Amino acid sequence: MSHIIAGQFQIQDEIATARAALQAAGFADEDISAFYVNPQGQHDVHELGGDHDKSPGAKESDEGVVQGGAGGAVAGAVAGSAAIPIAGPLGPVVGALVGAHVGSLFSLSKMKDAGEPEEGRDGQENMIPPRKSGMMIAVAVADQAREQQALDVLRGLGASNLERAEGTIAAGDWRDFDPTSRPVPV
């Protein structure tokens, strides 16, 4: 693994110019990778498509459905028991079913809004903005001086969303690039 500096440009011609400028600065062509990052949700990471197996904001909704359904079923059964003289023996059953359904809607309160911190891990997963889509160029750098040189070249050409990463660029391909990972801004 090596240190990688990456940045984004709007059009392919700017990527070609950046590649040429990095080569002129002494970076080997096999240490430079250029590619397109798809928009969020379109990376096809999972078998059924998409980037995540579950919506990031719905991580705790299963727990909410169970809690709400159980509580609603008990409350509905109690209310249905009071209705036995009117509804007969089906009162508690219908009350429990309706209560479980209404209670399961409690899961909506477990969903997260954009920017609201997640529970668990570091609590910041929902706070860091995702990587933006667009044309990207990345270069492996050997040391701090080469990193600064790459940053100067990319900044001089107007690169946006400059980031640092760890990875492997071999034969011009960033082999372990994960488009769903959160970028580390420079």
Side-chain angles (χ1 to χ4, degrees):
M1 283 208 172
S2 58
H3 299 291
I4 295 174
I5 294 296
Q8 289 187 323
F9 290 96
Q10 291 296 314
I11 57 176
Q12 213 164 2
D13 289 343
E14 292 172 327
I15 292 289
T17 301
R19 179 183 290 278
L22 287 167
Q23 288 171 334
F27 292 97
D29 191 47
E30 60 266 7
D31 291 337
I32 302 170
S33 180
F35 51 94
Y36 181 77
V37 177
N38 287 335
Q40 187 178 3
Q42 297 181 10
H43 301 297
D44 201 25
V45 174
H46 290 277
E47 186 176 320
L48 297 176
D51 297 344
H52 305 282
D53 61 346
K54 186 185 293 186
S55 174
K59 286 183 179 176
E60 299 169 16
S61 61
D62 295 345
E63 178 185 320
V65 168
V66 171
Q67 288 174 348
V74 170
V78 169
S81 295
I84 286 177
I86 299 168
L90 290 178
V93 174
V94 172
L97 291 174
V98 171
H101 174 69
V102 171
S104 70
L105 297 177
F106 175 74
S107 67
L108 295 175
S109 69
K110 289 291 207 175
M111 297 178 91
K112 304 288 188 245
D113 291 325
E116 185 178 347
E118 293 284 343
E119 293 178 15
R121 292 202 337 190
D122 61 2
Q124 297 298 312
E125 181 179 330
N126 209 27
M127 299 292 285
I128 302 169
R131 182 176 282 108
K132 294 183 178 181
S133 64
M135 297 296 301
M136 184 173 239
I137 191 162
V139 60
V141 295
D143 56 32
Q144 187 70 27
R146 294 295 277 166
E147 177 179 313
Q148 190 58 52
Q149 188 178 16
L151 285 169
D152 291 343
V153 168
L154 294 176
R155 281 185 181 129
L157 295 171
S160 62
N161 303 319
L162 290 168
E163 63 179 87
R164 283 187 179 90
E166 297 290 322
T168 304
I169 296 179
D173 182 29
W174 188 351
R175 296 174 189 236
D176 50 2
F177 176 72
D178 179 4
T180 64
S181 66
R182 301 293 175 160
V184 179
V186 172

